[in-house]
Amino acid sequence: MSVWLLLGAALVVAVVVVVALPFLREPAPESDSLLELGAAERERLAAEEERDRALSALRELEADHRAGRISDDDYRGVVGVLRRDAAEALRALDRLDAGREGTSAGSAKSA
């Protein structure tokens, strides 16, 4: 009886190991090189981050003003600057998008 128990336990351990091996192994990378962004992609990423920062600061200021943590005078003094920063960031993204569309349209015409 104990021999069968040992064989059964060994079989269970073997099955568990065989089933678990694919999950325990480190997946092989497709390549070892890191993706490097081009200059245009880095510029777009920086513009998107600036837009996100400006809009987040504006959203936070408005929430603080509504909650009464910022006075009306302080709000009026800061909101204009934050709105201007957000508008500049959005315009920068629009310029980048227009440049990208112009480049892709120009390459489509030459093709």
Side-chain angles (χ1 to χ4, degrees):
M1 175 87 170
S2 65
V3 172
W4 291 110
L5 258 160
L6 286 174
L7 285 174
L11 180 63
V12 167
V13 169
V15 167
V16 167
V17 168
V18 167
V19 169
L21 272 178
F23 298 104
L24 298 176
R25 272 188 262 171
E26 191 74 28
E30 292 179 17
S31 73
D32 287 339
S33 65
L34 296 175
L35 294 178
E36 186 66 33
L37 297 177
E41 292 162 329
R42 280 194 304 270
E43 186 178 1
R44 174 142 181 95
L45 182 62
E48 288 174 347
E49 288 174 348
E50 183 61 33
R51 176 205 56 200
D52 293 346
R53 273 192 297 276
L55 293 176
S56 176
L58 188 58
R59 194 174 12 251
E60 185 176 340
L61 175 71
E62 290 175 354
D64 287 346
H65 182 252
R66 270 186 258 124
R69 292 187 290 261
I70 294 179
S71 70
D72 289 342
D73 293 336
D74 291 341
Y75 174 79
R76 277 188 234 109
V78 176
V79 73
V81 173
L82 291 178
R83 285 181 179 164
R84 195 170 23 259
D85 291 347
E88 287 174 9
L90 290 170
R91 277 193 293 272
L93 278 173
D94 285 345
R95 279 192 303 272
L96 289 173
D97 287 342
R100 181 179 295 174
E101 289 171 4
T103 303
S104 62
S107 62
K109 288 179 184 177
S110 63

